[in-house]
């Protein structure tokens, strides 16, 4: 097998590692490309291409994450990971760990860890690497890596909900949610939302985002019923899709351009958090990006021109 073939075979794993460490599709792809350049430039053939490449992409991702954290301190509004529709890496033996680690909630928990803790947790708990390999990847002793893994696992466990919904429950609840969104049914939406549900929007200052501090079933139900059903009136669409392994949707303008994504966190038979990413910089990998501001203006005009008896509650 040639180096090119070895690398392409391992590319899905390398991207999966980098994305979980970075929470960014674009940065993960850049890290994978830099890994290839280092591999191609290496004068000797490593004993294990997997070990060499995994270590390289981990070290590159740690370096990128350290600089990214400085940039995120000045980010406009809440920061959310870049949405991912499909994880390119599959491992039936670790399918549960892979799916859990891909969710927006899990990626945000990982943000609480130091770059080294995050890398160790991803390699050990998500992908099942041994501590000798992890130590080589992060440049620490095995003892230090075990300590990092314990701290990271403790932080992750503290932030995770005690009871998580199974896949079928999530899918059924999401189907009812998007039916209610389509119909603008405030009462139906309210029944599906947790009492303390909240909406988090990431527009990065470059696109419309849901208002901050929208909390509570009644407030969130009215917000959704007021805005999303009008998409149809301006020939835009809410397309239910799995996003980051969770129920969600892609928001498109009349030309099919992507103007946002939604993801739903489901717990205890209710939707706990709705996360919306509308920053165009975080949507480019999903296809042609539309103009979110233009869609917002069209929705505003449509709502103003509707007869008073037909206007949706705001």
């Amino acid at each position: 097998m040639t180096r090119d073939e070895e690398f392409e075979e391992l590319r899905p794993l390398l991207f999966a590692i980098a994305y979980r460490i970075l929470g960014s599709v674009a940065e993960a792809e850049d890290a994978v490309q830099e890994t290839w350049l280092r591999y191609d430039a290496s004068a000797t053939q490593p004993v294990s291409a997997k070990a060499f490449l995994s270590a390289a992409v981990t070290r590159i991702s740690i370096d990128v994450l350290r600089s990214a954290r400085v940039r995120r301190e000045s980010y406009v509004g809440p920061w959310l990971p870049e949405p991912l529709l499909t994880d390119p890496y599959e491992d039936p033996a670790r399918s549960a760990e892979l799916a859990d680690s891909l969710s927006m909630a899990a990626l945000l928990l990982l943000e609480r860890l130091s770059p080294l803790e995050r890398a160790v947790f991803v390699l050990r708990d998500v992908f099942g690497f041994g501590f000798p390999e992890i130590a080589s990847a992060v440049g620490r002793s095995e003892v230090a890596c075990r300590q990092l893994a314990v701290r990271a696992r403790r932080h992750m466990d503290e932030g995770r909900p005690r009871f998580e919904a199974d896949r079928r429950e999530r899918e059924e609840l999401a189907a009812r949610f998007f039916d209610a969104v389509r119909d603008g049914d405030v009462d139906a939406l309210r029944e599906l939302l947790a009492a303390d549900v909240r909406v988090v929007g990431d527009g990065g200052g470059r696109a419309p985002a849901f208002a901050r501090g929208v909390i509570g079933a009644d407030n969130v139900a009215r917000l959704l019923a007021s805005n999303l059903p009008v998409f149809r009136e301006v020939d835009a669409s809410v397309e239910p899709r799995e996003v980051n392994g969770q129920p969600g949707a892609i928001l498109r303008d009349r030309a099919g351009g992507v103007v946002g994504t939604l993801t739903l966190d489901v717990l205890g038979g209710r939707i706990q958090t709705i996360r919306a990413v509308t920053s165009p910089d975080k949507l480019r990998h999903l296809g042609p990006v539309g103009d979110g501001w233009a869609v917002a203006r069209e929705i505003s005009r449509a709502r103003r021109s509707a007869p008073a008896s037909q206007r949706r509650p705001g």
Side-chain angles (χ1 to χ4, degrees), residues 44-264:
T44 59
Q45 179 66 24
V47 175
S48 168
K50 178 182 177 181
F52 177 90
L53 292 169
S54 298
V57 81
T58 298
R59 287 193 290 269
I60 292 168
S61 297
I62 290 172
D63 289 341
V64 172
L65 181 60
R66 285 173 173 150
S67 62
R69 286 195 162 190
V70 175
R71 295 195 303 273
R72 290 173 193 174
E73 289 177 359
S74 59
Y75 193 79
V76 178
W79 181 92
L80 293 175
E82 290 183 13
L84 185 67
L85 300 185
T86 305
D87 187 356
Y89 179 72
E90 296 180 359
D91 181 357
R94 305 194 67 81
S95 58
E97 292 89 343
L98 290 170
D100 178 65
S101 65
L102 196 64
S103 72
M104 286 275 183
L107 291 171
L108 289 170
L109 281 177
L110 284 169
E111 282 290 305
R112 302 179 184 182
L113 308 182
S114 71
L116 280 178
E117 288 173 340
R118 186 164 181 164
V120 169
F121 181 87
V122 167
L123 291 176
R124 179 62 181 173
D125 285 54
V126 179
F127 294 99
F129 280 74
F131 281 108
E133 296 169 293
I134 296 172
S136 175
V138 302
R140 296 292 188 275
S141 68
E142 288 185 42
V143 171
C145 287
R146 290 179 187 277
Q147 293 172 341
L148 287 166
V150 169
R151 288 204 301 270
R153 197 173 297 122
R154 183 174 63 249
H155 290 314
M156 293 295 288
D157 289 343
E158 288 172 354
R160 282 195 178 109
R162 293 189 177 184
F163 304 101
E164 297 184 7
D166 63 31
R167 190 177 190 86
R168 177 175 295 181
E169 179 186 357
R170 292 199 309 263
E171 291 174 351
E172 291 176 352
L173 191 62
R176 292 166 57 199
F177 172 83
F178 286 114
D179 284 345
V181 162
R182 180 194 62 217
D183 298 335
D185 190 334
V186 174
D187 291 334
L189 283 168
R190 193 184 292 114
E191 290 180 2
L192 300 173
L193 303 173
D196 58 349
V197 63
R198 63 192 180 100
V199 174
V200 181
D202 177 352
R206 304 196 57 219
F210 284 115
R212 296 190 197 183
V214 181
I215 300 173
D218 188 64
N219 292 332
V220 172
R222 290 182 179 278
L223 173 72
L224 297 173
S226 174
N227 289 281
L228 294 184
V230 191
F231 263 56
R232 288 185 299 169
E233 298 175 24
V234 299
D235 295 325
S237 63
V238 179
E239 175 188 320
R241 288 285 300 271
E242 187 173 273
V243 182
N244 284 79
Q246 304 294 311
I250 297 177
L251 310 180
R252 298 185 185 275
D253 64 14
R254 65 172 70 246
V258 180
V259 294
T261 63
L262 298 176
T263 55
L264 311 178

